[in-house]
Amino acid sequence: MIETVFRTEDLPVADRADAWRERLSQAHAPVDLICRPDSHFSAHQRVIPLGSTLVWPSVSASYVIRRTPELIRSSDPEMIHLSLIIKGTVGFRMHGPDALYGSFEFRTHDSSRPWEIIMGTRGEPVHAVSVDVPRARLPLASDEVDRVIGHRLSGREGVGALLTSFLTTLADNTGSYTAADAPRLETVLLDLLAAVFANALDAMDSVPAESRRRTLTQRIQAFIREHLHDPDLTPATIAAAHHISTSYLHRLFRDLDRETTVSGWIRHLRLERAREQLADPARSDVPVHLIAARAGFEHHPVFTRAFRATYGVSPRDYRRRALLQGTGQRHGTSRKANRV
């Protein structure tokens, strides 16, 4: 079977980090290296194409990689990624708390959501076999796939062990297959992926509905905070990002507080963010209209009216009073220190 081999040692030192970022971007979706490898960085990757699915065993030194909202807006091929960690530790952050993965665990993410990965959390090399597959090729409903993505999956038992065996055998014995075997191998791989995901869904369905609803609400609130700066953040876009209806989104917020709407909560958070920045001496030279824009207010007059209605004073007057008060407190502290 034809495979492509990449080795950083075949490149000049100055080109290795960018070349590795490009390889990762080609396999999954555009990414950024946020902790650039040093001159001793090394990576070895073999790419095994199975139709539209890629399997790529790799060994790499420690680095940190991220997919950002900006990269998602510029390009989203709607790819699903699964990595089988063979050796080493991998840190992962997506929509939930930070997670740490070890040997023979599956880590998943997709190209449609922001995430951050730390390869080799202790500075050690990481051995892995990764899979990148178009979302549309998985024989599962998209919302079912979304429920599994980001959750820890075991590669040591049950269907997970079957997938582990398939991936490691394929990676170790590519010479025994021909190009004509690729379509059949892809079918087997997709069926195993679907089985692992379905097994995880069965386990998740045993969780009480109320717990799942609270978890979803927490994810939505974190999503809103992360995207406050986006003027296009609306109940419709939030619901679409979480694959739920807008009416169900409103119902989740009514369950939290009968007096709070989704739009009202977004406006409250934006005003609070702007208020905090207006009172920050380190941002005293940032124009008020720019602070408003960074908080997600597209129109400055709308921001001014909302701010005055909430805090009883204009943004400019609030900033002036807050900065004067802060100056007075610092002077008072200084005088007390001089008397000691």
Side-chain angles (χ1 to χ4, degrees):
M1 183 177 295
I2 299 173
E3 65 177 35
T4 304
V5 178
F6 170 86
R7 299 183 184 86
T8 52
E9 55 262 39
D10 295 335
L11 300 171
V13 171
D15 297 338
R16 292 177 182 177
D18 286 338
W20 183 237
R21 177 187 56 77
E22 184 60 27
R23 295 291 299 187
L24 297 174
S25 296
Q26 289 174 357
H28 180 67
V31 295
D32 281 336
L33 290 177
I34 62 171
C35 179
R36 294 181 65 83
D38 60 24
S39 59
H40 301 294
F41 174 77
S42 64
H44 181 198
Q45 178 200 50
R46 295 159 45 221
V47 178
I48 306 164
L50 302 179
S52 58
T53 302
L54 296 181
V55 177
W56 47 282
S58 64
V59 180
S60 68
S62 179
Y63 66 95
V64 182
I65 193 169
R66 174 185 290 169
R67 181 152 168 81
T68 65
E70 291 75 20
L71 289 172
I72 294 169
R73 285 193 291 270
S74 66
S75 174
D76 182 10
E78 297 190 349
M79 299 290 287
I80 302 298
H81 176 93
L82 175 142
S83 280
L84 169 64
I85 313 302
I86 304 295
K87 185 178 180 182
T89 57
V90 177
F92 181 58
R93 177 186 302 141
M94 195 167 74
H95 52 64
D98 294 0
L100 183 67
Y101 290 76
S103 299
F104 295 97
E105 290 186 316
F106 292 115
R107 187 195 57 71
T108 60
H109 64 253
D110 65 1
S111 63
S112 303
R113 282 177 280 190
W115 44 257
E116 181 176 306
I117 300 169
I118 305 171
M119 299 295 289
T121 59
R122 298 188 297 265
E124 80 280 16
V126 174
H127 300 239
V129 182
S130 299
V131 178
D132 279 283
V133 57
R135 175 184 287 268
R137 294 287 287 130
L138 277 178
L140 287 172
S142 185
D143 62 330
E144 292 180 326
V145 174
D146 285 330
R147 290 173 59 196
V148 178
I149 291 297
H151 289 273
R152 187 186 306 274
L153 304 173
S154 173
R156 294 182 180 274
E157 55 192 16
V159 184
L162 292 177
L163 180 55
T164 293
S165 177
F166 176 86
L167 290 175
T168 53
T169 301
L170 176 65
D172 292 341
N173 299 281
T174 52
S176 62
Y177 303 108
T178 68
D181 294 318
R184 289 186 288 273
L185 290 170
E186 182 184 30
T187 299
V188 173
L189 175 56
L190 293 175
D191 286 343
L192 283 172
L193 284 171
V196 169
F197 278 36
N199 186 64
L201 283 169
D202 289 341
M204 292 167 64
D205 285 340
S206 66
V207 177
E210 182 59 32
S211 296
R212 293 200 301 270
R213 194 157 48 244
R214 284 197 300 268
T215 300
L216 175 59
T217 303
Q218 291 168 359
R219 283 175 52 195
I220 290 171
Q221 290 177 329
F223 177 88
I224 290 172
R225 289 190 177 94
E226 185 175 353
H227 294 81
L228 271 183
H229 64 280
D230 186 353
D232 293 326
L233 184 69
T234 64
T237 59
I238 295 167
H242 292 83
H243 306 281
I244 59 176
S245 68
T246 305
S247 60
Y248 184 60
L249 174 67
H250 287 305
R251 190 157 65 249
L252 288 173
F253 270 73
R254 282 198 303 272
D255 290 343
L256 284 176
D257 184 347
R258 289 285 177 182
E259 304 300 319
T260 300
T261 65
V262 181
S263 297
W265 199 67
I266 293 172
R267 184 170 58 253
H268 167 73
L269 290 180
R270 284 174 168 167
L271 286 170
E272 278 295 288
R273 178 169 293 184
R275 186 180 67 83
E276 291 171 1
Q277 294 191 5
L278 286 169
D280 185 356
R283 293 185 172 90
S284 60
D285 59 342
V286 179
V288 173
H289 71 85
L290 188 54
I291 284 179
R294 289 174 178 173
F297 288 96
E298 215 172 356
H299 304 291
H300 186 62
V302 173
F303 164 69
T304 300
R305 286 195 297 271
F307 194 95
R308 187 188 294 275
T310 302
Y311 302 111
V313 64
S314 72
R316 294 183 188 280
D317 287 342
Y318 179 86
R319 166 183 265 180
R320 185 168 57 252
R321 294 178 187 179
L323 294 178
L324 285 172
Q325 183 178 9
T327 301
Q329 290 174 346
R330 288 196 299 275
H331 287 169
T333 302
S334 178
R335 284 194 295 270
K336 289 180 181 178
N338 289 334
R339 289 198 298 268
V340 173

